[in-house]
Amino acid sequence: MNALMMQFPLTLPHVLERMGQFFGRIEVVSRRPDKSLHRTTYGEIHGRVLKLANALQRLGVKPGDRVATLGWNHSRHLEAYFAIPLMGAVLHTLNPRLSPADLSYIMNHADDTVLLVDDVLVPVYERFRANVHPRNVIVWGNGMRPAEGLLDYEDLIAPELNAFTPPPLDENQAAGLCYTSGTTGKPKGVLYSHRSIILHSLVSALPDALGLKQTDTMMPVVPMFHVNAWGLPVTAAMMGTKQVFPGPHLDAVSLLELIDGEKVTITAGVPTIWISILEALDKEPARFDHSRLHTMVVGGSAAPQSMIEAYEKRHGLRILHAWGMTEMSPIGTVSRIKAGLETLPEAEQFRLRATQGLPVPLVEVRVVGDNGPVPWDGRSMGELHVRGPWIASSYFQNPVEADKFTKDGWLRTGDVVTMDGEGYVRITDRSKDLIKSGGEWISSVDLENALMGHPAVKEAAVIALPHEKWAERPVACVVLKDGRTATEQELRDFLTPLFAAFQLPDAFVFLDVLPRTATGKFLKSALREQLKALKLS
Ligand code: AMP
C-alpha cells in the first residue's frame, strides 16, 4: 500500500521563502574590495533576489539557460545563488584562478548566456573576453561605473518589481553547474539539481555532519566558486544562520578580524588558509578574540594532524576534518569521534580526527582493490567508490569520462584509501594524475604534455611533493634529448604562457632516465621517493 504523503518538490524557492519569511532581520555581512564592510539582511536579499530574477528574465534568460558568475564571496553572489535557480536557469560559478584558456573553454562548453562579474575581476574576464560570447555581462560594482558594453548590477535591478512567479520547477532539474579539473585536458562539468542541493544542505547541517544552527554565525572562506562554497551559503540560508563573506581578502589577518568583529562561530576552508591563520595566531595569540569560534571545517586537501593538534593545544580551537569532491556537492565524510571512542588515548583520538572520517547519512561507500572489495581493516588499500542522492552520475555533455561512473551507480573517486572496522576512511594516495595546491588543481598530464612540446625535452613526468603551506606543489622531472640543453628558467618561460602562475612547477629536476612501470607508464611513486629530500621554498 502506498503511503499518503504529499508530493512535495525539494526546490530552492522553498529555502528562499523560508529565509525571507522567518529570518528577515538576520544579517549578511560582506567585505568589500576596499576592505570596508557591507551589511544587509536576509529580508533585503530576499527582495533583491526577486528583482534580479525579473531583470534576468528581461534580458532573455530562459529556464535551462546557464548564467555564469565570476565573483568572490559576498551577498550579491548569494542573490545570484537564489535568483538563477528560481527562474529555472542554472547557476554556473567560474573559478577566477584558472587560466584564460580554461575559463574560455568552460564558458563555451557551458554555453553561458549571461555573466555576472565582480568589478575587481573584470581584468580576469578581459583576458578571455575575446574568446567567449555571453549575451550580457553584468558587473557587481562598488561605486565605479562599468566600462563600455558592460551593465551595472544595481542599475539593472533597481527598476524591477520585488515579486516574481517562478515557472513550474521539477526537483530533478539542474540548478547549479561547477567544473572540476580533468586528469587529461579539459575540465568536466557537474550539474547539481534542486533536490540534490536541498538534501545535501539538510544532511550537512546535522550536528554530526558539519553542524549548523540558526544561532551560529558562519563564514565560508572556501570560495563560492568551489562547489558552491561546499553548499554552506544555501545551508545557512535554510537554517537562518548569519553569514559573513570575506570578499577578496583571504589573508590571515583579514579573516581573523572578521572572526573577532562579527563573532563568527563556524567557518570553513582548505588547509592552506588554516595554516596561515595558525601562524598569525602563534605570532600574536592575544590580538584577536576567537572565543565564540567552535568549529573550523577543513577539507579539500588533507588536514595535517600536527595542525589539528596545534590549534587545539595552543589556541583551544577545534578543527573538523571533512572530505568530498565537486562530483559530490561536495560532502562525503566527516571526522568526528564516535561514542565509545572518546575514551581512547588523546594521541589516538587526534590520529582518528586526521582521517577523512565517517560517511555522512545517504552517502554509501565501498573500497575496491584489484581483486574486488577489500576488507575494512585499516590496512588494505583500494579505490574509494561512493554513491548517494547528491553524487553525480555523469559529467555534463561529456561522454569521454563516462568510465568514472560504474553501471551500478557508483562514482570512482580516484582516491586510494583504507577503511577501518569502525568506518573511518583514510586517504593514502590518489590514482588520478592531479596535484592539489592550496585547494586548486594542477594537471600533471597537461604539464607533461606541454613540456614534451619543448624542442630539447625528450620525456617529462610531473609529480606532487608535499608542501607545508600549499599541501602539494608540482615538480617536473625532465630527460633532455641527446645533445640538447635547456635550463630550468628556459623551461619555466616556455610553460608560463600556457598555465596559470600557480600551476607552474616549483622545481625542474634533470634526470638521465625516468623510472617506468611494467606497462611503460612513469613510475611516479619511485620519483616521489627519489626526490623526497628536495626542499621546496
Ligand atoms: P574537488 O573536486 O576540487 O573538491 O577535489 C576533490 C578531491 O580533493 C578529492 O577526490 C581528494 O583527492 C581531494 N580531497 C578533498 N578533501 C580532502 C581531504 N579532506 N583530505 C584529502 N584529500 C581531499
Side-chain angles (χ1 to χ4, degrees):
M1 208 192 296
N2 289 335
L4 299 177
M5 290 296 156
M6 86 177 33
Q7 289 294 312
F8 184 89
L10 304 180
T11 55
L12 286 167
H14 169 77
V15 178
L16 175 70
E17 283 317 304
R18 180 180 158 76
M19 173 186 109
Q21 278 170 341
F22 304 122
F23 307 113
R25 67 178 165 72
I26 299 297
E27 262 195 315
V28 176
V29 181
S30 313
R31 177 93 87 174
R32 295 193 187 93
D34 69 1
K35 293 206 96 177
S36 62
L37 295 182
H38 169 265
R39 293 180 182 278
T40 182
T41 60
Y42 279 138
E44 280 176 12
I45 290 177
H46 176 265
R48 286 165 57 88
V49 166
L50 305 178
K51 282 167 167 264
L52 175 58
N54 283 315
L56 290 173
Q57 200 169 54
R58 183 158 54 82
L59 292 179
V61 174
K62 305 225 158 25
D65 283 356
R66 270 76 68 191
V67 176
T69 64
L70 187 64
W72 297 109
N73 294 8
H74 48 69
S75 62
R76 293 194 285 199
H77 209 161
L78 186 65
E79 289 163 10
Y81 264 45
F82 282 105
I84 295 164
L86 179 69
M87 320 169 56
V90 182
L91 166 84
H92 174 204
T93 51
L94 292 166
N95 179 348
R97 295 178 179 143
L98 296 181
S99 66
D102 273 349
L103 281 164
S104 53
Y105 169 82
I106 290 172
M107 265 200 92
N108 290 330
H109 186 266
D111 198 12
D112 295 318
T113 55
V114 171
L115 169 69
L116 291 136
V117 55
D118 278 355
D119 52 1
V120 290
L121 291 173
V122 169
V124 173
Y125 169 58
E126 292 293 348
R127 275 182 239 137
F128 64 96
R129 178 181 192 163
N131 301 320
V132 295
H133 316 283
R135 259 198 328 263
N136 302 101
V137 177
I138 304 165
V139 179
W140 280 316
N142 289 284
M144 299 275 283
R145 304 296 312 154
E148 189 63 30
L150 310 181
L151 302 170
D152 178 76
Y153 183 80
E154 294 301 330
D155 287 357
L156 185 80
I157 68 170
E160 298 295 341
L161 280 179
N162 62 357
F164 181 85
T165 310
L169 294 173
D170 183 319
E171 64 176 13
N172 288 310
Q173 81 184 63
L177 172 63
C178 186
Y179 280 71
T180 178
S181 286
T183 322
T184 43
K186 300 304 179 201
K188 306 158 296 182
V190 177
L191 279 174
Y192 308 109
S193 66
H194 284 258
R195 174 186 159 84
S196 72
I197 294 171
I198 299 272
L199 290 174
H200 178 267
S201 282
L202 279 173
V203 169
S204 167
L206 291 175
D208 285 341
L210 303 192
L212 197 65
K213 298 191 301 294
Q214 200 277 315
T215 48
D216 275 316
T217 294
M218 192 277 297
M219 178 169 77
V221 181
V222 50
M224 291 172 88
F225 52 79
H226 269 178
V227 211
N228 303 319
W230 300 346
L232 285 165
V234 171
T235 308
M238 183 187 265
M239 298 301 140
T241 306
K242 173 178 169 180
Q243 306 204 44
V244 179
F245 291 117
H249 301 288
L250 303 180
D251 61 285
V253 168
S254 299
L255 295 172
L256 282 164
E257 278 168 5
L258 287 177
I259 289 171
D260 178 337
E262 298 304 318
K263 305 182 174 46
V264 170
T265 61
I266 174 165
T267 172
V270 295
T272 302
I273 296 281
W274 307 118
I275 288 166
S276 65
I277 290 191
L278 179 61
E279 239 172 55
L281 285 178
D282 282 348
K283 221 182 276 165
E284 298 179 283
R287 178 165 165 199
F288 302 100
D289 176 7
H290 52 68
S291 55
R292 292 171 179 88
L293 188 59
H294 59 69
T295 305
M296 302 157 87
V297 181
V298 180
S301 289
Q305 184 176 331
S306 57
M307 178 179 85
I308 302 178
E309 288 194 38
Y311 265 115
E312 195 136 325
K313 290 179 178 163
R314 299 211 283 270
H315 305 286
L317 285 170
R318 199 165 180 85
I319 296 262
L320 180 64
H321 190 198
W323 165 87
M325 299 173 74
T326 306
E327 291 87 335
M328 304 175 66
S329 305
I331 297 170
T333 62
V334 175
S335 200
R336 293 185 184 270
I337 301 293
K338 275 164 95 170
L341 302 183
E342 70 280 43
T343 52
L344 287 172
E346 188 190 63
E348 181 57 13
Q349 291 196 39
F350 276 122
R351 194 195 62 77
L352 273 184
R353 286 179 44 205
T355 69
Q356 279 64 26
L358 296 174
V360 297
L362 304 184
V363 169
E364 294 184 357
V365 299
R366 68 180 190 190
V367 184
V368 182
D370 289 341
N371 305 312
V374 306
W376 294 2
D377 57 8
R379 282 191 314 275
S380 307
M381 283 190 236
E383 187 187 36
L384 183 61
H385 293 187
V386 290
R387 65 179 177 190
W390 53 80
I391 297 175
S393 57
S394 65
Y395 291 116
F396 175 54
Q397 295 174 354
N398 180 335
V400 181
E401 304 247 12
D403 63 340
K404 282 285 269 310
F405 307 92
T406 72
K407 289 209 172 53
D408 47 349
W410 294 93
L411 164 71
R412 299 189 166 105
T413 65
D415 286 323
V416 177
V417 305
T418 62
M419 188 147 167
D420 71 13
E422 293 283 353
Y424 286 87
V425 170
R426 192 168 69 86
I427 297 190
T428 57
D429 204 351
R430 199 182 283 141
S431 61
K432 44 196 172 193
D433 217 348
L434 288 167
I435 298 162
K436 203 163 200 195
S437 174
E440 303 287 351
W441 286 115
I442 302 170
S443 163
S444 30
V445 177
D446 281 356
L447 282 169
E448 288 160 6
N449 287 341
L451 275 170
M452 288 197 262
H454 187 280
V457 174
K458 182 168 151 201
E459 284 179 338
V462 175
I463 57 165
L465 285 190
H467 190 280
E468 242 175 51
K469 176 162 184 200
W470 302 108
E472 294 174 358
R473 288 298 301 153
V475 170
C477 306
V478 177
V479 179
L480 293 177
K481 289 182 185 154
D482 286 347
R484 303 298 296 257
T485 56
T487 63
E488 175 157 353
Q489 193 55 46
E490 273 166 41
L491 295 183
R492 191 182 305 282
D493 292 346
F494 180 74
L495 294 178
T496 299
L498 306 172
F499 292 89
F502 78 90
Q503 294 175 324
L504 296 175
D506 272 18
F508 294 76
V509 179
F510 295 94
L511 300 171
D512 293 335
V513 283
L514 293 177
R516 290 182 183 274
T517 65
T519 53
K521 289 189 192 153
F522 298 139
L523 189 56
K524 295 200 173 174
S525 53
L527 282 171
R528 282 201 296 262
E529 184 60 27
Q530 198 174 329
L531 297 180
K532 69 174 185 231
L534 190 73
K535 279 274 158 284
L536 302 176
S537 52

